[in-house]
């Protein structure tokens, strides 16, 4: 039989999602698990956007928003809010853990974005190529052959 201390208030998210520090995230292996595309083929917009789901060896997921920018020489994948200016919308979503600092306080989205740009993306040097390889870009851009 299990006994619970009912005088203590429990937060369900604390039970379901473990606390992880950025250092602990950096020790996990990461890979590109899924790529989604948001594109309205009926509009005249030349911007292709979507989400990339990065998954760790401990089943933690980071969902990053991306867009494709045409530099004239190549189609470049940029992560929104990390490599571009952030808007008011949510550009980064963490599933499977709460990201905390050493004192077990939740870290800010800005600190997490800095860690992604400075630590996680360098651990995945081919991430942009992997995203582009999962897209059929000829469906989204015009070619004047």
């Amino acid at each position: 039989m299990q006994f619970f201390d009912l005088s203590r208030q429990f937060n369900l998210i604390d039970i379901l999602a473990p606390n992880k520090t950025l250092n602990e995230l950096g020790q996990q292996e990461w890979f590109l698990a899924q790529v989604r595309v948001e594109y309205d083929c009926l509009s005249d917009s030349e911007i292709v956007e979507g989400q990339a789901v990065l998954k760790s060896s401990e089943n933690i997921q980071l969902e990053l928003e991306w867009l494709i920018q045409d530099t004239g020489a190549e189609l470049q994948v940029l992560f929104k809010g990390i490599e571009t200016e952030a808007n008011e919308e949510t550009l980064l979503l963490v599933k499977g853990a709460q990201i905390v600092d050493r004192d077990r306080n939740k870290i800010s989205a800005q600190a997490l974005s800095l860690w992604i740009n400075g630590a996680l993306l360098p651990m995945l040097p081919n991430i942009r190529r992997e995203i582009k390889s999962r897209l059929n870009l000829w469906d989204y851009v015009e070619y004047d052959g």
Side-chain angles (χ1 to χ4, degrees):
M1 183 187 254
Q2 292 182 338
F3 294 96
F4 295 99
D5 182 1
L6 297 178
S7 65
R8 183 174 166 222
Q9 190 173 25
F10 290 98
N11 187 351
L12 191 58
I13 194 74
D14 291 335
I15 297 168
L16 298 177
N19 289 332
K20 296 289 182 182
T21 64
L22 294 177
N23 196 22
E24 291 171 328
L25 289 183
Q27 295 172 1
Q28 298 177 27
E29 292 183 40
W30 291 88
F31 62 93
L32 180 62
Q34 186 177 21
V35 175
R36 292 190 296 265
V37 179
E38 291 178 7
Y39 183 76
D40 182 2
C41 59
L42 299 176
S43 76
D44 292 335
S45 175
E46 296 181 8
I47 297 176
V48 179
E49 300 181 53
Q51 297 84 32
V53 177
L54 303 178
K55 195 178 250 189
S56 79
S57 54
E58 294 184 18
N59 207 25
I60 296 171
Q61 292 184 9
L62 294 175
E63 291 186 15
L64 305 174
E65 300 268 335
W66 55 262
L67 62 87
I68 293 184
Q69 176 181 333
D70 187 354
T71 64
E74 68 172 344
L75 296 174
Q76 184 178 23
V77 175
L78 297 175
F79 292 102
K80 294 167 64 176
I82 296 171
E83 298 171 320
T84 67
E85 289 186 25
N87 300 330
E88 287 85 31
E89 62 190 275
T90 302
L91 303 173
L92 173 63
L93 185 62
V94 179
K95 293 182 179 177
Q98 293 185 76
I99 312 304
V100 296
D101 62 15
R102 290 181 201 159
D103 299 326
R104 297 294 181 202
N105 298 318
K106 285 187 180 179
I107 66 166
S108 68
Q110 183 181 17
L112 183 57
S113 295
L114 289 172
W115 177 81
I116 289 171
N117 194 33
L120 183 61
L121 291 179
M123 284 194 291
L124 301 166
N126 298 319
I127 187 77
R128 296 168 212 291
R129 191 174 325 144
E130 287 184 57
I131 289 172
K132 287 196 285 188
S133 72
R134 294 187 186 195
L135 307 174
N136 184 359
L137 293 177
W138 297 115
D139 291 341
Y140 306 105
V141 297
E142 289 185 24
Y143 180 68
D144 293 333

